Amino acid sequence: MAVDKSQVLEALRAVATPRGVPLTDAKVLSEIAVSDGKVFFSINVDANEARAWEDVRARAEAAVRAIPGVVAALVALTAERRAGAAPAQGVKPVAQHRPHGAPATSPMAGQAPIPGIGSIIAVASGKGGVGKSTTAINLALSLRDLGLRVGLLDADIYGPSVPRLAGSRDKPAVDDHKKMIPIRRFGMPLMSIGFLVEEETAMVWRGPMVMSAIRQMLWDVAWGELDVLVVDMPPGTGDAQLTLAQQVPLKGAVIVSTPQDLALIDARRGIAMFDKVNVPTLGVIENMSYFQCPHCGTRSDIFGHGGARHEAERLKVPFLGEIPLHMAIRTSSDAGTPVVESEPNGPHAAIYRTIAEQIKTRIGGASAATA
Ligand code: ADP
């Protein structure tokens, strides 16, 4: 049964607010995106009111999920300071999803472990297009091959690529506890905003909305018991990334860079940012490190290979390995079965596995689940 916007508005009309008027009259609703039974919108309030509105957010989400035909609902609560009182770019952590109810007095006050998840690691890059997502999914698969229970969260809400990389357009269902059931592929739970919103759906993300959506993909998902959750971060080192690093208890960050100077400058910024929020850099990976001819296997260092290794040495962070620029890595990803899955005994899987082994050692392997 197709769901339309008027049904969503009708359901929201029954949701009361602290302002004494129905939610639909409180002038706090964003555009409501409805497609294929998936509903997404945000409630935008002033930062001072955020706490009082968390309950409204939960009730709004429940009301929408109760509409027959709705398969997924994601309601974000965004809280911004009014102009004048705004911190840099208006980004302010939203007062929600703090299981311990800790007030946001310190930058790390919002951090809370996700029940059942041992370690959360971020795969990040200073800029887009360096192969961060490709690396993230192949590393997740390699960690799985090393015997860990692994999940993958695509937090790159600006350009979610996990649905493409995993070849799945399935929609997450909702369980009895109102948690989204992640998509299962390759024996791993996967979550991405791309499973909820159509690629063509133009979403305008503002800082607080970004955080709210990511938090829900972390805490409102039935991840189950995992040793490691790999988070494919949004690229860059803006406020959104910084806030994410402050909000989620990250065991460490893996920085993906290409060998060029410009990419390395961005990678350096990434490392500095994680450093600032006390997230250890697990290491640097040089992607597209050298070109390997798919026909003759000849190797050429078209981008000046080795830059990331030198940079890692200079910054005194571990260097985890070099991944060649190879057609098989791209075509396998585009076909929805990353190279570690499609050629588990091939040379590329071996490279990713060697990197994953180092990461496993650094995060303490499966024992992390009880840490
Ligand atoms: P990012 O997440 O940094 O934006 P992606 O992982 O989406 O980057 O990769 C960008 C493009 O580069 C994709 O088409 C991907 O298939 C390709 N790619 C990534 N790594 C490699 C590699 N090592 N060899 C060949 N192609 C690659």
Side-chain angles (χ1 to χ4, degrees):
M1 190 194 311
V3 180
D4 65 29
K5 209 157 125 177
S6 62
Q7 287 170 280
V8 175
L9 286 170
E10 197 182 305
L12 296 180
R13 199 156 295 137
V15 175
T17 67
R19 292 182 192 172
V21 293
L23 184 53
T24 40
D25 294 336
K27 298 190 171 57
V28 293
L29 291 177
S30 71
E31 261 305 299
I32 295 173
V34 185
S35 80
D36 280 351
K38 291 163 297 169
V39 181
F40 184 91
F41 61 92
S42 68
I43 297 172
N44 312 296
V45 297
D46 188 77
N48 302 325
E49 300 173 278
R51 199 162 285 276
W53 282 77
E54 169 50 24
D55 179 50
V56 180
R57 187 204 70 77
R59 282 186 284 120
E61 204 168 73
V64 173
R65 283 195 182 138
I67 301 170
V70 166
V71 290
L74 189 61
V75 181
L77 176 64
T78 74
E80 283 182 288
R81 292 202 178 280
R82 291 201 192 290
Q89 294 180 26
V91 174
K92 166 81 173 62
V94 187
Q96 68 173 69
H97 287 295
R98 277 198 195 105
H100 304 317
T105 45
S106 94
M108 313 308 250
Q111 280 201 348
I114 302 173
I117 299 185
S119 302
I120 305 176
I121 61 169
V123 177
S125 67
K127 66 189 197 86
V130 301
K132 169 184 54 61
S133 301
T134 306
T135 308
I137 195 163
N138 279 300
L139 283 180
L141 291 164
S142 304
L143 288 164
R144 174 207 65 180
D145 289 345
L146 294 175
L148 300 186
R149 295 165 299 174
V150 183
L152 178 64
L153 169 64
D154 179 3
D156 189 352
I157 48 153
Y158 302 104
S161 33
V162 164
R164 176 176 52 85
L165 292 169
S168 174
R169 289 261 154 228
D170 293 345
K171 326 281 178 231
V174 177
D175 72 9
D176 293 344
H177 304 285
K178 304 270 179 213
K179 296 230 177 204
M180 283 185 279
I181 302 169
I183 301 305
R184 265 199 105 76
R185 278 280 281 161
F186 319 126
M188 304 190 300
L190 313 174
M191 192 62 196
S192 167
I193 199 87
F195 292 134
L196 303 169
V197 181
E198 294 304 317
E199 245 169 278
E200 308 79 53
T201 309
M203 293 294 302
V204 180
W205 292 100
R206 288 170 305 134
M209 235 174 128
V210 170
M211 288 316 306
S212 198
I214 291 173
R215 261 200 295 270
Q216 286 182 55
M217 287 199 292
L218 283 162
W219 278 290
D220 289 354
V221 170
W223 288 108
E225 296 284 322
L226 296 178
D227 296 311
V228 188
L229 180 67
V230 175
V231 182
D232 181 4
M233 299 277 277
T237 50
D239 281 353
Q241 289 75 18
L242 190 62
T243 315
L244 179 68
Q246 288 171 338
Q247 297 279 315
V248 232
L250 295 172
K251 192 89 172 192
V254 174
I255 310 285
V256 181
S257 179
T258 52
Q260 298 99 319
D261 284 348
L262 268 180
L264 286 167
I265 291 171
D266 286 321
R268 207 174 302 156
R269 284 204 193 105
I271 293 170
M273 177 198 81
F274 284 114
D275 212 31
K276 212 152 98 186
V277 286
N278 295 324
V279 174
T281 296
L282 297 170
V284 175
I285 296 173
E286 185 166 282
N287 189 38
M288 309 190 196
S289 180
Y290 49 91
F291 175 70
Q292 207 168 17
C293 173
H295 307 295
C296 61
T298 312
R299 165 181 171 150
S300 39
D301 296 342
I302 48 176
F303 296 138
H305 136 265
R309 179 189 290 276
H310 293 145
E311 195 60 31
E313 279 166 11
R314 210 177 66 78
L315 296 171
K316 298 192 171 42
V317 296
F319 182 69
L320 298 174
E322 298 167 351
I323 300 163
L325 175 68
H326 195 285
M327 194 72 91
I329 296 180
R330 191 178 65 73
T331 50
S332 55
S333 297
D334 288 351
T337 310
V339 75
V340 168
E341 185 71 13
S342 59
E343 293 178 45
N345 300 314
H348 306 303
I351 293 173
Y352 284 114
R353 195 159 46 241
T354 307
I355 296 174
E357 273 162 1
Q358 298 173 66
I359 294 172
K360 183 184 176 190
T361 305
R362 285 179 208 287
I363 60 174
S367 61
T370 51

